[in-house]
Amino acid sequence: MPYGRRMAPRRSAPRGSYAKSADTRRAILDAAIPAFAEHGPEGASTRGIATAAGVNQPALNYHFGSKDGLYRQCAEAIVDRFALSMGESTAPAVEFLAAGGSDAARAHALLNGVMHGLVDTLVASTDAQVWSGFVAREMHAPGEAFAVLYDRLWQPGTELAAQLIHAARGRRGGIETARLEAAMLISNLVAFTSGRRVTKKIMGWQEIGPDQLAAVRRSIARQVDALVAVVPGDE
């Protein structure tokens, strides 16, 4: 299925004689993502990115061609890292759907697994807290990276969840409704990315530790159960 292929991370750069080059690219991307997240593509300083990465400024052009090229590659890197983090939870779901996905109970369990993986990636991961600013900018003001994030992350991820919702309902109800519900289900976790500070303050949480993470998982599981239990048109 196309959404399964799109979410797969690209092959890692080879090691050996290419290790230094790959490590330099990684260092530049690690410095550029938070810079672009905070200042945007126009406001971020390539000199500042180079300094933070521990390289000279020409190295940015050598590896990425231009500032715009670096910005697009930041989006590609975010998707690759996201896919790597989500792989254990999404791979069984993709295989299940590719095989026809006829077992409703299995689809329900896989949907829970995907959502729990998403909680771990978006809520528990410190990396995601850095990515979220970059991603939020492209959501609110689409730019050079929007197509990358949409084609490789947002659309295939939402479609995967929608197909699992539809399968968990025994293919009853419309797929369009399942897509809407998948988008809304996933959007709940924005409260822990761009809205993290607000959510912590509302909940009175000083941090999001194991107990808080478990509470988020339970809440998402209840939402999944409620979605699967009600088939549009059968209410």
Side-chain angles (χ1 to χ4, degrees):
M1 289 190 171
Y3 45 85
R5 290 195 297 272
R6 288 179 190 168
M7 287 194 74
R10 296 174 302 170
R11 184 174 297 177
S12 300
R15 306 303 294 172
S17 61
Y18 297 100
K20 186 174 181 180
S21 178
D23 289 345
T24 299
R25 284 178 60 88
R26 173 79 187 213
I28 294 170
L29 290 168
D30 285 347
I33 290 171
F36 286 133
E38 183 175 358
H39 303 291
E42 295 81 14
S45 162
T46 53
R47 180 176 298 176
I49 291 170
T51 299
V55 300
N56 56 34
Q57 201 165 350
L60 273 63
N61 289 335
Y62 175 78
H63 286 282
F64 300 99
S66 65
K67 188 178 184 182
D68 287 345
L70 173 58
Y71 187 72
R72 286 191 296 272
Q73 285 302 308
C74 283
E76 297 279 8
I78 287 170
V79 176
D80 288 345
R81 295 174 192 183
F82 185 91
L84 186 63
S85 176
M86 288 290 296
E88 288 188 11
S89 59
T90 58
V94 170
E95 291 175 6
F96 169 79
L97 292 170
S102 59
D103 184 335
R106 176 65 174 156
H108 188 167
L110 288 168
L111 178 59
N112 266 319
V114 168
M115 293 308 300
H116 286 177
L118 197 57
V119 168
D120 289 344
T121 297
L122 295 183
V123 182
S125 168
T126 55
D127 285 341
Q129 295 171 43
V130 176
W131 308 341
S132 64
F134 186 105
V135 172
R137 278 186 176 274
E138 285 297 314
M139 281 185 167
H140 298 148
E144 291 284 338
F146 185 88
V148 173
L149 294 171
Y150 180 83
D151 291 341
R152 295 192 59 214
L153 182 62
W154 298 328
Q155 190 279 334
T158 303
E159 185 67 13
L160 179 64
Q163 293 289 344
L164 289 172
I165 291 170
H166 198 216
R169 290 170 169 166
R171 306 292 179 185
R172 294 177 297 153
I175 187 61
E176 291 298 321
T177 299
R179 287 191 181 108
L180 176 60
E181 291 168 339
M184 294 175 70
L185 180 65
I186 293 168
S187 294
N188 286 334
L189 294 177
V190 172
F192 297 95
T193 54
S194 57
R196 191 180 188 91
R197 289 182 182 176
V198 175
T199 301
K200 285 170 62 179
K201 189 171 182 64
I202 288 171
M203 295 302 300
W205 293 347
Q206 296 301 311
E207 62 177 3
I208 297 181
D211 291 343
Q212 292 78 17
L213 193 60
V216 175
R217 287 198 191 102
R218 289 193 297 270
S219 178
I220 287 292
R222 287 192 294 270
Q223 292 178 56
V224 167
D225 292 346
L227 274 178
V228 170
V230 178
V231 178
D234 290 356
E235 301 97 324

